[in-house]
Amino acid sequence: MALVPCQVLRAAILLSYCSILCNYKAIDMPAHQTYGGSWKFLTFIDLVIQAVFFGICVLTDLSSLLTRGNDSQEQERQLKKLISLRDWMMAVLAFPVGVFVVTMFWSIYIYDRELVYPKLLDNFIPAWLNHGMHTTVLPFVLIEMRTTHHQYPSRSCGLAAVCTFAVGYILWVCWIHHVTGVWVYPLLEHLSPGVKIIFFAAVTVIINLFYLVGEVLNNYIWDTQK
């Protein structure tokens, strides 16, 4: 694809995420007033990740246009750093976390929505906003992967970063339960301590698998496998 259409596409996606975040934060839900606020939900954290990522993509595109035809080595170095940050975020956060949120949410929702998204929330969150948080993330990140080649880090470093994020969020969820006595997700209320450990371990494995899927898919699309 040409550079300008890609720029417009990324800018549109960024604006859509900004709109989703603003509308979500404007909702007066009791859960937003409790310990941890919106930051206890992986969906909200993912929205922030996606917005920051596409913000960096737009900034990279603008910087690339501004430095085109410019022989400044310093500007070239700064652009390369920006591209490296963009690629790292895509590999470690935007793709694995985004795909994880979409697949896990809808898998549990189809099985029993009360375990992850109680019907009570329909009174606060309109259907379009729910899909903005839990559906469009996947096609947006796939579009980005298809339109731009991203340089993945070494597999060991990438998996270590994904594990750090996953374990960090799990510890955050456990800390919230320790402080409030309430689990962030109703599903966890129904699991015994031993099953919770297995569940958390499985979640960590799954998000690492999504990292590998992203790496393989990126290589397949851009034919970079040696």
Side-chain angles (χ1 to χ4, degrees), residues 3 7 59-69 79 83:
L3 179 60
Q7 282 184 305
L59 183 59
T60 302
D61 287 338
L62 290 175
S63 299
S64 180
L65 286 174
L66 292 174
T67 57
R68 180 174 292 179
L79 178 59
I83 291 173

Side-chain angles (χ1 to χ4, degrees), residues 19-30:
S19 174
I20 291 169
L21 281 168
C22 289
N23 279 276
Y24 178 75
K25 291 298 292 182
I27 296 173
D28 185 21
M29 284 199 307

Side-chain angles (χ1 to χ4, degrees), residues 9-19 50-52 54-56 58:
L9 191 59
R10 292 189 187 101
I13 293 174
L14 174 60
L15 289 175
S16 71
Y17 276 122
C18 291
S19 174
Q50 301 297 332
V52 171
F54 279 99
I56 293 173
V58 171

